[in-house]
Amino acid sequence: MSVDQFRIFSWAVPIGFVLLGCFRPRSLHWTVLGAVLLFAALNAVAGIHILNHFRDSRWSAGGELPLSAPSFAETPIVGQYLGPLDSTLNGMVGVGNDFLAFKNVLPVAMEFLAASGWALLVSLLLAIVAAIISISMARRRARDFQNYRATVDLLKEELDQVKRQISAGNAVDTALPAEG
């Protein structure tokens, strides 16, 4: 994947997650929080992946050419004795090339890691909002349950009165509590 594909992927997946969460509107606030956390995780994974594969030319922000070491093995007369020097120089140039590649990749990876950090900051605020919404929904459900419970108790009392009237043989129309 290229850097642009990582960017598109890190936005498209959370948006799809929210769109799928629209089918459960009661928990949409938790779905949005999950999407923001997913966005943060995807960006962090992309940044870490880029840093782990810093030698890959797809991530490079700069167009510097890699360094190369001269060969001393081809030197007349003493070239055969300078062979170990070639391997040492190639090793040093390899470390220098790794450093340059890491230096060129670091800004790209930091973009993803910074986006992940901002998403985590936003998710903290969204978590507080989602918790407040959930608490208010739970209180409303508890209040509704108490109202239903009161209605059931009233209907039970009315049923008991009807049973008493039937067993006593009184078929007189009396006012029942639920009618008021």
Side-chain angles (χ1 to χ4, degrees):
M1 291 179 75
S2 69
V3 173
D4 293 331
Q5 288 172 331
F6 270 132
R7 286 187 182 115
I8 291 169
F9 186 73
S10 68
W11 279 98
V13 172
I15 289 171
F17 188 74
V18 168
L19 291 176
L20 287 176
C22 287
F23 294 113
R24 294 179 49 202
R26 282 187 166 180
S27 62
L28 187 61
H29 51 286
W30 291 112
T31 303
V32 170
L33 176 63
V36 171
L37 289 172
L38 180 62
F39 177 78
L42 289 174
N43 276 299
V45 166
I48 292 169
H49 177 77
I50 288 171
L51 287 176
N52 280 337
H53 299 92
F54 64 89
R55 289 181 194 94
D56 195 344
S57 62
R58 295 178 292 176
W59 322 127
S60 181
E64 297 178 12
L65 296 175
L67 303 174
S68 61
S71 175
F72 291 113
E74 300 164 2
T75 306
I77 302 175
V78 292
Q80 63 187 359
Y81 302 109
L82 297 178
L85 182 60
D86 279 350
S87 64
T88 304
L89 282 176
N90 285 330
M92 290 174 60
V93 167
V95 169
N97 283 334
D98 286 348
F99 175 76
L100 289 175
F102 189 79
K103 182 187 82 150
N104 290 333
V105 164
L106 193 59
V108 176
M110 289 309 292
E111 286 178 25
F112 286 103
L113 295 174
S116 177
W118 281 109
L120 287 175
L121 182 65
V122 168
S123 71
L124 179 66
L125 299 174
L126 283 175
I128 293 169
V129 169
I132 291 171
I133 290 171
S134 290
I135 289 170
S136 67
M137 289 174 72
R139 286 182 180 169
R140 183 181 50 81
R141 281 193 304 267
R143 218 176 22 253
D144 289 345
F145 181 74
Q146 291 298 328
N147 290 340
Y148 294 140
R149 186 71 182 161
T151 303
V152 167
D153 290 343
L154 184 65
L155 291 173
K156 280 183 180 179
E157 180 182 322
E158 187 176 305
L159 182 62
D160 290 340
Q161 285 180 2
V162 169
K163 286 179 182 179
R164 281 191 298 258
Q165 287 177 358
I166 290 175
S167 66
N170 297 336
V172 181
D173 288 335
T174 59
L176 299 173
E179 291 178 351

